[in-house]
């Protein structure tokens, strides 16, 4: 008679599912499934078996976008900044080194206890002579990574991987004013690609470099050029590994990115740093006003910033090999530039490349 009554909530209240939870669980599970599919494709490629292109449908892309990758990336960034106890640093960093094949012999500081947190370890500097800059070629690799694709831009479409393209105009955004970039005005009616080519007889070229988590995370100037303008596209932070790039058309147009445009001796030149999952942080050393992966943004929006002012008519001059910026973990760099028709790449699709090595020359 003295027993206490046990009050229980209705089953419907206990197991109430909210739409956000359903989206996260479904999207996360599907992302995991895609990771497994990517692994199987990589194994087939290693055996020399050609894999047919199979693009994601609209609902698959929408489902992937439902995963809160921006929120997860911000959380990952804060976690990376937590200072680790001295006794824990070597085991944690050693696991990362073993997992991603990091070569610590190239690091300026090889002692793992020196890095207070994961963020410092990711952004480690190299020894001065670890990456000699090639002086014989006009364009060098701005970073370590894997060459996904390169060649001429055709029909206003750029290949992110073999057989999968994206729109040049969607990627770079509307053309910047000709006064700002010192370009001659293109005749009205020309295609977006033709408007970027400023000199008769020139062509537009592109090169896509994927930075894996174990690669050196800083990127440098690929040539001598002047940066006149920065355009920041807030967006998704989907994975940009080759498997996903083969699966989602216009992946680079969906993701957050920072487009630097300007000119070099042959005309138009641009370098774009593309964000990815856990890589919401993109830093440009000379641009203190840039803030990526903000909590709030308008879908499809972008913001512009000009480095041309009354006091600075030339923009930001960059020397070949000069430090330009860094990623928090690893991502993708896309070069789109104008050059004469006899420009030749010294590359092979799929090859590993290091910062300072030749990309191409005249």
């Amino acid at each position: 008679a003295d027993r206490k009554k046990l009050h229980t909530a209705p089953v419907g209240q206990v197991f109430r599912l909210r739409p956000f939870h359903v989206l996260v669980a479904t999207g996360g599970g599907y992302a995991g499934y895609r990771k497994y599919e990517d692994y199987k494709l990589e194994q087939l490629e290693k055996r020399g078996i050609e894999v047919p292109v199979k693009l994601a449908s609209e609902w698959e892309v929408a489902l992937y976008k439902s995963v809160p990758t921006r929120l997860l990336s911000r959380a990952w960034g804060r976690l990376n900044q937590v200072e680790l106890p001295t006794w824990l640093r070597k085991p944690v960093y050693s696991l990362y080194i073993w997992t991603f094949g990091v070569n610590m012999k190239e690091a300026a500081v090889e002692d793992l206890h020196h890095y207070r947190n994961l963020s410092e370890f990711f952004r480690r500097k190299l020894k001065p002579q670890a990456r000699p800059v090639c002086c014989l070629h006009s364009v060098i690799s701005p970073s370590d990574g894997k060459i996904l694709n390169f060649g001429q831009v055709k029909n206003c479409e750029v290949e992110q991987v073999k057989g999968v393209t994206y729109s040049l105009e969607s990627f770079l955004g509307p053309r910047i004013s000709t006064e700002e970039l010192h370009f001659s005005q293109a005749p009205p009616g020309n295609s977006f690609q033709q408007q970027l080519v400023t000199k008769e007889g020139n062509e537009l070229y592109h090169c896509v470099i994927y930075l894996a988590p174990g690669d050196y995370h800083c990127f440098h100037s690929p040539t001598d050029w002047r940066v006149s303008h920065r355009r920041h596209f807030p967006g998704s932070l989907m994975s940009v590994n080759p498997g996903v790039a083969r699966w989602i058309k216009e992946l680079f147009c969906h993701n957050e990115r920072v487009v630097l445009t300007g000119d070099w001796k042959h005309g138009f030149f641009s370098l774009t740093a593309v964000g990815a999952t856990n890589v919401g942080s993109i830093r440009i050393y000379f641009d203190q006003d840039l803030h990526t992966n903000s909590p709030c943004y308008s879908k499809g929006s972008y913001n512009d910033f000009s480095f041309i002012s009354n006091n600075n008519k030339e923009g930001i001059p960059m020397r070949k090999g000069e430090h330009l910026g860094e990623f928090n973990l690893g991502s993708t760099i896309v070069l789109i530039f104008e050059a004469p028709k006899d420009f030749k790449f010294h590359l092979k699709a799929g090859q590993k490349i290091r910062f300072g090595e030749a990309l191409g020359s005249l």
Side-chain angles (χ1 to χ4, degrees), residues 128 131-137 140 220-222 320-322 355-357:
R131 296 289 187 275
V133 175
C134 178
C135 299
L136 301 177
H137 298 272
I140 62 168
H220 302 245
S221 176
K320 184 166 64 175
E322 186 178 350
F355 155 61
E357 296 178 346

Side-chain angles (χ1 to χ4, degrees), residues 55-288:
L55 295 177
S57 61
E58 289 186 10
W59 73 266
E60 287 177 311
V61 176
L63 186 59
Y64 192 179
K65 283 187 171 182
S66 71
V67 179
T69 51
R70 293 179 64 86
L71 176 62
L72 292 173
S73 297
R74 285 195 296 274
W76 175 252
R78 291 185 180 181
L79 179 63
N80 289 347
Q81 294 173 4
V82 175
E83 185 170 343
L84 297 176
T86 305
W87 62 268
L88 189 58
R89 294 175 189 177
K90 189 171 183 179
V92 170
Y93 301 148
S94 296
L95 177 61
Y96 185 90
I97 291 168
W98 177 78
T99 303
F100 296 108
V102 178
N103 184 4
M104 285 302 294
K105 291 183 179 179
E106 298 177 331
V109 180
E110 296 184 39
D111 182 13
L112 298 180
H113 296 101
H114 169 80
Y115 303 100
R116 295 173 298 176
N117 51 47
L118 283 166
S119 182
E120 286 188 3
F121 179 73
F122 293 148
R123 296 180 286 106
R124 63 193 175 276
K125 305 301 181 185
L126 298 180
K127 292 175 181 176
Q129 302 304 319
R131 296 289 187 275
V133 175
C134 178
C135 299
L136 301 177
H137 298 272
S138 52
V139 183
I140 62 168
S141 175
S143 66
D144 289 6
K146 179 181 180 180
I147 301 295
L148 294 188
N149 217 303
F150 62 92
Q152 284 190 18
V153 177
K154 297 179 180 179
N155 302 320
C156 294
E157 293 281 326
V158 185
E159 282 194 318
Q160 58 191 28
V161 294
K162 186 177 181 181
V164 182
T165 62
Y166 56 93
S167 163
L168 179 64
E169 186 169 6
S170 296
F171 182 69
L172 295 178
R175 189 163 181 257
I176 302 159
S177 65
T178 53
E179 293 96 4
E180 187 173 328
L181 294 180
H182 311 290
F183 290 165
S184 58
Q185 181 67 49
N190 281 10
S191 68
F192 183 80
Q193 178 179 337
Q194 291 171 329
Q195 291 177 21
L196 294 181
V197 178
T198 63
K199 298 180 181 179
E200 188 175 352
N202 281 3
E203 298 287 348
L204 207 60
Y205 296 87
H206 74 98
C207 182
V208 183
I209 305 171
Y210 167 68
L211 289 76
D215 288 326
Y216 170 54
H217 290 70
C218 297
F219 51 93
H220 302 245
S221 176
T223 192
D224 296 333
W225 64 307
R226 296 179 301 174
V227 183
S228 304
H229 189 273
R230 179 258 292 162
R231 176 168 285 163
H232 173 215
F233 290 85
S236 301
L237 287 174
M238 295 184 283
S239 171
V240 293
N241 75 58
V244 177
R246 188 184 294 108
W247 179 54
I248 298 181
K249 184 178 174 65
E250 298 203 337
L251 171 65
F252 298 157
C253 297
H254 290 295
N255 271 16
E256 181 162 19
R257 59 198 182 277
V258 177
V259 182
L260 300 178
T261 52
D263 60 292
W264 69 319
K265 60 183 178 182
H266 299 296
F268 174 80
F269 199 96
S270 73
L271 181 148
T272 302
V274 183
T277 308
N278 294 337
V279 197
S281 173
I282 302 172
R283 182 183 174 194
I284 305 297
Y285 293 138
F286 56 75
D287 188 354
Q288 302 301 317

Side-chain angles (χ1 to χ4, degrees), residues 325-343:
E326 63 188 32
F327 291 112
N328 188 47
L329 185 59
S331 190
T332 298
I333 288 179
V334 180
L335 301 179
I336 298 175
F337 57 93
E338 174 186 358
K341 291 182 177 180
D342 57 350
F343 181 87

